[in-house]
Amino acid sequence: MIEAIIYYFQHNSADFLLALWQHVYISAFAVLVALIVGFPLGVLSARNKHVRTFITGTFSALRVIPSLALLFLIVVLTGMIGVPAAVFALTVLALPVILINTTVAFSQLPAEPVEAASSLGFTSWQIFWQVKLPLAKPLIFAGIKTATAEVIASATLAAFIGGGGLGTLIFTGLSIMRTDLLLIGGISAAALSLIVLAFLNLTERFLIPWRHLPN
């Protein structure tokens, strides 16, 4: 088995790097779009109870749809295949957790810091960026990490609809009974997830340093 894996990398390193790049690209793009859409929607829903009920209820329902079913549903409803369909489906997968975490983060802010900033003459814009956002960061970032982990894992299914990625190795290995391809694809996807989460943890230490101060 070790020999087969070594042989694969000796003769197919370009194919592996392409699959890895596709996996990183569709995952990163999906999380980025989900953040661009989910963050402002979360802030909006935190300000209005009725909007919050509608938005969180709608997107919470999306979380119960299995990833593979969501992929095929996107293909059927939009007619898209390949990378666009994969990015669309993964964005829909990542969006609920980012939106809900953002909503909860801004709707449960302590009143005292906001009132203190207002009494000091801060504008609404300053209160948002200098008071509310720093207080909401931990929960928002937790949502980003959760969404990223889910997207990287689910991106392996993109191969089903021609989206490429490391899932191509896994499904090729299943179809031709190649255990080495299954191991390469599965271990690479798991390693990628761990590396990205480690990077996000380091980023969190930089953006939210007070969470990691010793007690």
Side-chain angles (χ1 to χ4, degrees):
M1 183 57 62
I2 299 298
E3 291 81 4
I5 292 174
I6 293 173
Y7 181 87
Y8 172 84
F9 280 108
Q10 286 176 336
H11 294 83
N12 301 279
S13 57
D15 293 338
F16 173 79
L17 291 175
L18 176 61
L20 178 61
W21 163 247
Q22 290 172 336
H23 204 100
V24 171
Y25 172 79
I26 61 178
S27 299
F29 196 66
V31 173
L32 179 61
V33 174
L35 182 59
I36 291 172
V37 175
F39 179 78
L41 276 180
V43 174
L44 174 64
S45 63
R47 292 179 176 178
N48 187 294
K49 182 179 179 180
H50 299 293
V51 174
R52 178 163 67 248
T53 301
F54 173 76
I55 289 180
T56 55
T58 301
F59 283 93
S60 293
L62 292 175
R63 299 205 69 190
V64 305
I65 303 176
S67 301
L68 186 57
L70 184 60
L71 279 170
F72 286 120
L73 190 62
I74 294 297
V75 171
V76 171
L77 293 178
T78 66
M80 295 188 299
I81 58 172
V83 172
V87 171
F88 194 162
L90 293 173
T91 299
V92 174
L93 177 68
L95 187 53
V97 66
I98 291 176
L99 188 152
I100 292 170
N101 274 42
T102 302
T103 300
V104 173
F106 280 102
S107 61
Q108 295 183 354
L109 293 175
E112 292 81 2
V114 177
E115 292 172 355
S118 180
S119 66
L120 291 172
F122 281 43
T123 65
S124 298
W125 194 249
Q126 288 174 320
I127 290 174
F128 177 81
W129 286 106
Q130 298 180 31
V131 180
K132 291 184 176 181
L133 184 58
L135 290 172
K137 272 182 186 179
L139 194 52
I140 295 172
F141 211 85
I144 294 173
K145 290 196 292 185
T146 300
T148 301
E150 292 180 358
V151 164
I152 291 175
S154 299
T156 56
L157 301 174
F160 264 127
I161 57 173
L166 294 170
T168 304
L169 294 172
I170 296 173
F171 295 122
T172 301
L174 284 171
S175 62
I176 63 177
M177 302 301 292
R178 286 274 301 275
T179 306
D180 57 322
L181 294 182
L182 285 171
L183 287 174
I184 292 169
I187 293 174
S188 297
L192 177 62
S193 181
L194 292 174
I195 291 170
V196 171
L197 287 179
F199 171 76
L200 290 176
N201 285 332
L202 288 174
T203 304
E204 183 181 28
R205 285 180 173 272
F206 174 75
L207 294 177
I208 318 172
W210 60 87
R211 290 198 66 191
H212 305 279
L213 294 175
N215 295 324

